[in-house]
Amino acid sequence: EQAFAKIKHWMRQAQKRTVEDTWRHIGHLVETIEPGECKNYFANAGYASIKT
């Protein structure tokens, strides 16, 4: 849920009305998420890195 909070906020602000515009906007938003944010999401969600 934390990972999507940022995207949900931006999507509400954008108020896109067509499916095509929505998908295009989501694609743009995903590009703005930093690797550290993804790492923090997975750590907070309880996913562990498996190293061999």
Side-chain angles (χ1 to χ4, degrees):
E1 178 141 342
Q2 293 172 345
F4 295 106
K6 185 177 188 178
I7 292 173
K8 287 191 296 188
H9 172 74
W10 287 337
M11 289 302 295
R12 286 184 187 116
Q13 284 184 328
Q15 297 182 1
K16 299 297 180 190
R17 299 293 183 221
T18 68
V19 172
E20 185 175 318
D21 285 344
T22 299
W23 279 116
R24 189 177 298 118
H25 193 67
I26 289 171
H28 171 72
L29 294 177
V30 168
E31 292 175 351
T32 68
I33 297 173
E34 298 293 327
E37 290 178 284
C38 290
K39 179 182 173 187
N40 290 339
Y41 166 73
F42 286 112
N44 288 334
Y47 295 102
S49 175
I50 299 173
K51 295 182 181 183
T52 58

